[in-house]
Amino acid sequence: MMINGVPFIDTDDWKTYSTYKGCFNKDHKVIRWFWKIVKEMSQDDLAILLQFCTGSSRTPVEGFR
């Protein structure tokens, strides 16, 4: 786990520790749409999205914080 990370992606943890820039914030319409779609994704699709966003398809051992 230390090397590979955690195989399960917790979308609530990801959402809690996400930061936004510019005019975006957690209550922005587009951000709410994004998290609604993310919550409906399978673990395989989440891994692909996480790979795109962070360069790793697995959650860090201590989560997203």
Side-chain angles (χ1 to χ4, degrees):
M1 282 180 49
M2 293 297 287
I3 295 172
N4 293 328
V6 179
F8 176 77
I9 299 170
D10 181 355
T11 57
D12 291 329
D13 186 46
W14 191 357
K15 181 179 177 181
T16 299
Y17 291 104
S18 291
T19 56
Y20 308 98
K21 293 184 178 182
C23 66
F24 295 104
N25 60 56
K26 68 178 183 166
D27 298 318
H28 192 280
K29 176 174 54 173
V30 173
I31 300 300
R32 289 193 322 259
W33 288 342
F34 172 78
W35 289 115
K36 182 180 179 198
I37 292 167
V38 168
K39 285 204 172 269
E40 297 172 359
M41 297 173 86
S42 68
Q43 285 293 308
D44 290 337
D45 289 339
L46 286 171
I48 293 168
L49 177 62
L50 187 61
Q51 175 80 40
F52 175 78
C53 294
T54 66
S56 174
S57 62
R58 293 184 176 244
T59 304
V61 173
E62 294 184 7
F64 287 97
R65 60 183 158 189

